Amino acid sequence: MQFKTLLKTLPLLMLAAGLGSAAHAADVKLGLAAALTGPAAKYGVAIKNGFTLAADEVNAAGGVNGNKLQLIIEDEQGKKEEAINVFKKLIFKDKALLVFGPTLSNSAFAADPIANAAKVVAFGTSNTADGITAMGPFTFRNSVMEADVLPVTTRAAVKHFGIKKVAIIYGNDDAFTKSGYDVFKGTLADQKVPVTTTEAYAKGDVDFKAQLTKIKASNPDAIVCSCLTEEAANIILQTRALGMKQPFIGGNGLNSPKLFDIAKGAGDDTIMGSPWSPENLTPANKAFIAAYKAKFGSDPDQFAAQAYDALHVVADALKKIKLSGAIDKDRIALQQALPSVTIEGATGKFAFRKAPAVTGKEVGYDAQQEAIVNIAKGGKFILLK
Amino acid sequence: MDWWDGFWSTYNTVIFSLGVNAMLALSIYVTLSCGLLSLANAAFMGIGAYAASLISMQTGLPFPVALAVGGALPALVALIIGIPTLRLSGVYLAMATLGFGEVVRVVVLNMDITGGPLGLNGIPLKTEWWHIVLLLALTLYILARMRRSKIGRAFEAIKEDEVAARLMGVNVAGYKLLAFVIGAAIAGVAGGLNAHYTFTIGPGNYAFENAVEILTMAVFGGTGSLVGPTLGGMILTLLPEALRDFNSYRAVVNGLILVLVILYLPKGIWDPRRIRHWVKTFSQRKPQAGGSN
């Protein structure tokens, strides 16, 4: 145990010595739990980049009320036990003012109760699952739920193509694609669009001909696809191979350049809804994309954009409060300042909205944001006008 | 005591996992001690976790009842599937039990009561440190008594030579089934304990990867005695946490340590014969060093 503490304190001491007098006590410590290794790393690394970029910007502009922001980044590997351990470390050991993350909704279900019990804000930037913010008043997120995006997408698609009836295909063993399917099902019922047939596949499938043949026989006007990118791309290719020309309608899972790497031109006319688009040319978004490219040498994605915005949301809330230095008080002050924040970020206009009420429980805050509907043309997504 | 409070609130989940993973390693040790290579323990852990969580969430029954069912249900399932599958041996048994694990995962994925791919969320926090200490101690006590009993000797005989054991009049099929059922019950209780301090469980938590992880803990520690798996489970829980300062190289260092141990300590960390050998060479060297003075 002593050896362990030594192992942990030694690098900290060295770091402190290295920074010397430059590091003053007024640094505001913000924790970030992200999946930097493991299968969810592609999201976690983008999230980390988005946060670092925003924190550097805020600090370069003189910090918040003269205080520099200090990000403490920990890897939670996309595992629930790790997410709990990292949250506890950031809250109890590093005494972070708030914790961003974790990357996956499943990890959030494990880690957010810890933050709520400790009265520390847990701020998710990529948790879209239902019920995350029902866990307590200290849960916040700026990730837009599928339940907000998909109805807008569906309505736009129905209008654009004059759709009368659709078929559905979805992955039934993945939390993200399954909950996307549930939302689509409800949306289609609400908007009175009949469903000709519903087909499912399992993660890792590569041959979808059996499902697609059934869909072909039912002759829909469009195919609703609650899928992740790789599978969606294969489904689109195989649909075209069967001689079907129907357009696809999908959610965030399709929002990746990888879709066109695999499906090429076959993906054209796919309609996709997302909270962020590189084609959305607001000044804030243009500045974000340029700064991201300059710093990391690659194109940003939606996860980086949401992380970037999240830090600016918190910086804005910090401007409104006076830090007392007593961490428990400051944490609660931050929680009370956050809900009133509105910003114009990379993802557009942003505000918080109280989560749907749960009896006998206080709830947190969801994102109140417009979804952007895109259509694929010539191997990339452009805004649907 | 401030120091202790801070330490405890930061690391209590890690400390809980020490005990639970030791129990998981012991659960696979039971089947290994009977010469069975079964990879179904992650699935049994899952059955126990789901059963215990559903009882806590949907009924007002006390935690001990939930845990008891979490141990009993996997034992029952083990009894049912054990009768046909335990006729297999070696890698064939490993494959069959792996297949069973996959069946459990897909069943859980497609049932409504288990929450499908979303799993169960909002499981109440009920596990206390003394639950884990008590149950781990109980497991160790029972297994230690069993080792020296008729059952333990029978397991040993079957492991060393199944045919000879049968000729000696040992009920091979019966004892194998017993080992399988005991292993399943321990894994199920561990699963129930784990679910009640991690707030959420899902079908992905009890898949192939976890089955291999449990086996690694037992083999890493050494399967010759009870100390081995207990140590193995604990060390493999602590290692990633202690290596946190290596940041992105954490997984690499973790893997490297595993490889080194398997290379230089093929019988696991706890290998009494090797330790005795080291002690002997060390104490022999000492008087020589003294003599030269």
Side-chain angles (χ1 to χ4, degrees):
Chain A
M1 204 151 69
Q2 265 181 345
F3 177 66
K4 228 180 90 193
T5 15
L6 184 74
L7 214 72
K8 281 174 172 287
T9 43
L10 208 61
L12 276 178
L13 284 175
M14 278 156 60
L15 196 75
L19 291 172
S21 55
H24 52 91
D27 274 3
V28 179
K29 285 195 256 184
L30 304 174
L32 165 61
L36 302 177
T37 53
K42 58 182 168 185
Y43 312 120
V45 171
I47 289 170
K48 181 185 152 194
N49 288 350
F51 273 113
T52 346
L53 177 65
D56 287 353
E57 274 182 21
V58 171
N59 286 338
V64 181
N65 297 341
N67 298 328
K68 289 260 187 290
L69 301 183
Q70 185 197 349
L71 273 181
I72 306 172
I73 302 168
E74 287 290 347
D75 179 16
E76 46 97 353
Q77 303 181 328
K79 292 182 188 163
K80 61 169 184 171
E81 270 98 351
E82 284 292 318
I84 293 177
N85 291 344
V86 163
F87 259 55
K88 286 190 168 170
K89 179 186 174 287
L90 291 170
I91 292 171
F92 298 113
K93 189 153 177 275
D94 299 330
K95 311 259 183 236
L97 194 59
L98 128 167
V99 182
F100 291 112
T103 301
L104 300 178
S105 293
N106 282 339
S107 310
F109 279 119
D112 287 2
I114 311 273
N116 274 298
K119 298 203 186 318
V120 180
V121 171
F123 195 136
T125 64
S126 54
N127 313 138
T128 52
D130 220 22
I132 294 270
T133 41
M135 278 187 283
F138 285 84
T139 18
F140 288 75
R141 62 173 158 193
N142 72 339
S143 35
V144 184
M145 282 187 299
E146 297 282 281
D148 286 334
V149 175
L150 299 184
V152 181
T153 315
T154 312
R155 192 169 296 121
V158 166
K159 202 174 140 218
H160 186 78
F161 291 115
I163 291 163
K164 299 275 184 315
K165 54 191 197 297
V166 297
I168 305 179
I169 184 161
Y170 74 104
N172 69 349
D173 61 348
D174 179 84
F176 176 76
T177 54
K178 171 69 167 55
S179 54
Y181 161 70
D182 290 339
V183 174
F184 264 128
K185 200 171 138 194
T187 304
L188 291 168
D190 281 349
Q191 302 184 3
K192 301 200 170 54
V193 181
V195 176
T196 56
T197 176
T198 302
E199 300 296 326
Y201 65 84
K203 207 183 260 178
D205 280 2
V206 284
D207 186 1
F208 306 94
K209 296 248 167 54
Q211 291 97 320
L212 292 174
T213 310
K214 272 194 206 161
I215 289 179
K216 187 179 184 182
S218 75
N219 196 26
D221 296 329
I223 301 169
V224 167
C225 181
S226 181
C227 322
L228 295 173
T229 313
E230 285 86 352
E231 280 115 9
N234 274 319
I235 289 172
I236 292 173
L237 272 180
Q238 289 173 26
T239 310
R240 303 293 175 245
L242 285 174
M244 299 152 76
K245 294 199 169 53
Q246 285 91 340
F248 278 81
I249 305 169
N252 244 326
L254 272 54
N255 188 9
S256 163
K258 214 170 167 188
L259 186 75
F260 303 106
D261 291 348
I262 303 171
K264 304 273 177 347
D268 274 9
D269 279 346
T270 299
I271 289 195
M272 176 273 294
S274 165
W276 178 80
S277 161
E279 300 290 321
N280 184 20
L281 297 174
T282 60
N285 198 26
K286 265 205 265 186
F288 161 68
I289 294 171
Y292 191 97
K293 269 189 191 159
K295 192 171 167 77
F296 302 106
S298 62
D299 288 322
D301 63 5
Q302 167 215 338
F303 296 97
Q306 284 176 326
Y308 176 86
D309 278 3
L311 196 105
H312 282 294
V313 167
V314 170
D316 210 65
L318 283 171
K319 262 182 213 155
K320 295 179 185 170
I321 56 174
K322 207 170 147 38
L323 294 177
S324 65
I327 187 85
D328 293 337
K329 256 207 265 166
D330 290 348
R331 282 167 169 173
I332 289 173
L334 179 61
Q335 189 258 346
Q336 283 164 352
L338 267 176
S340 62
V341 173
T342 52
I343 65 158
E344 186 90 31
T347 56
K349 273 199 178 62
F350 175 83
F352 280 114
R353 172 184 74 197
K354 191 126 183 123
V358 185
T359 41
K361 228 174 142 188
E362 276 210 72
V363 293
Y365 293 84
D366 285 325
Q368 174 67 48
Q369 213 169 13
E370 284 289 309
I372 298 168
V373 182
N374 303 274
I375 186 163
K377 288 283 178 215
K380 69 176 198 170
F381 280 116
I382 58 168
L383 299 187
L384 178 66
K385 296 273 168 22
Chain B
M1 279 326 253
D2 258 9
W3 173 84
W4 171 253
D5 284 345
F7 178 82
W8 177 254
S9 42
T10 311
Y11 292 110
N12 56 6
T13 314
V14 182
I15 296 167
F16 286 7
S17 301
L18 286 181
V20 168
N21 285 342
M23 281 176 78
L24 286 172
L26 285 169
S27 79
I28 205 163
Y29 154 82
V30 178
T31 41
L32 285 174
S33 76
C34 190
L36 298 168
L37 179 55
S38 150
L39 291 174
N41 290 44
F44 289 136
M45 178 193 178
I47 296 174
Y50 270 102
S53 310
L54 283 172
I55 288 174
S56 300
M57 290 170 75
Q58 313 227 334
T59 68
L61 294 171
F63 188 43
V65 178
L67 275 186
V69 176
L73 191 66
L76 188 72
V77 175
L79 195 68
I80 296 165
I81 68 148
I83 294 167
T85 45
L86 293 180
R87 291 162 171 271
L88 303 166
S89 63
V91 283
Y92 302 101
L93 177 65
M95 281 164 68
T97 46
L98 214 57
F100 165 71
E102 199 55 19
V103 169
V104 169
R105 192 181 68 85
V106 172
V107 167
V108 164
L109 210 49
N110 287 295
M111 280 197 334
D112 281 332
I113 191 167
T114 56
L118 303 171
L120 295 175
N121 300 314
I123 302 165
L125 178 66
K126 287 195 174 169
T127 307
E128 304 264 359
W129 64 271
W130 58 269
H131 294 149
I132 297 177
V133 172
L134 194 75
L135 284 166
L136 178 62
L138 192 71
T139 310
L140 280 169
Y141 176 74
I142 293 173
L143 293 183
R145 289 300 298 251
M146 212 174 69
R147 253 170 87 82
R148 301 186 173 277
S149 72
K150 193 182 157 196
I151 302 172
R153 309 270 189 240
F155 283 0
E156 188 79 26
I158 294 169
K159 182 184 166 189
E160 293 303 328
D161 192 330
E162 205 180 307
V163 180
R166 186 172 290 133
L167 286 172
M168 295 289 288
V170 173
N171 179 357
V172 172
Y175 279 114
K176 276 184 170 177
L177 195 59
L178 183 66
F180 197 55
V181 170
I182 294 174
I186 299 173
V189 173
L193 284 170
N194 172 276
H196 285 84
Y197 69 85
T198 53
F199 307 101
T200 171
I201 55 175
N205 298 137
Y206 310 106
F208 171 65
E209 202 182 305
N210 308 77
V212 174
E213 210 171 296
I214 296 172
L215 181 68
T216 316
M217 289 179 203
V219 173
F220 180 86
T223 52
S225 68
L226 287 172
V227 184
T230 314
L231 259 185
M234 291 185 170
I235 293 174
L236 288 194
T237 315
L238 272 185
L239 209 54
E241 210 41 46
L243 296 177
R244 196 169 276 288
D245 294 318
F246 284 94
N247 290 331
S248 10
Y249 296 102
R250 187 154 74 127
V252 179
V253 177
N254 201 6
L256 204 66
I257 293 176
L258 277 183
V259 171
L260 287 177
V261 166
I262 299 298
L263 273 179
Y264 292 103
L265 297 165
K267 284 192 170 171
I269 285 202
W270 189 254
D271 185 357
R273 194 175 293 169
R274 196 177 288 260
I275 292 169
R276 262 201 302 278
H277 177 72
W278 281 344
V279 171
K280 216 194 232 162
T281 41
F282 185 70
S283 55
Q284 270 171 358
R285 242 177 238 165
K286 228 178 184 175
Q288 273 175 7
S292 69
N293 267 339

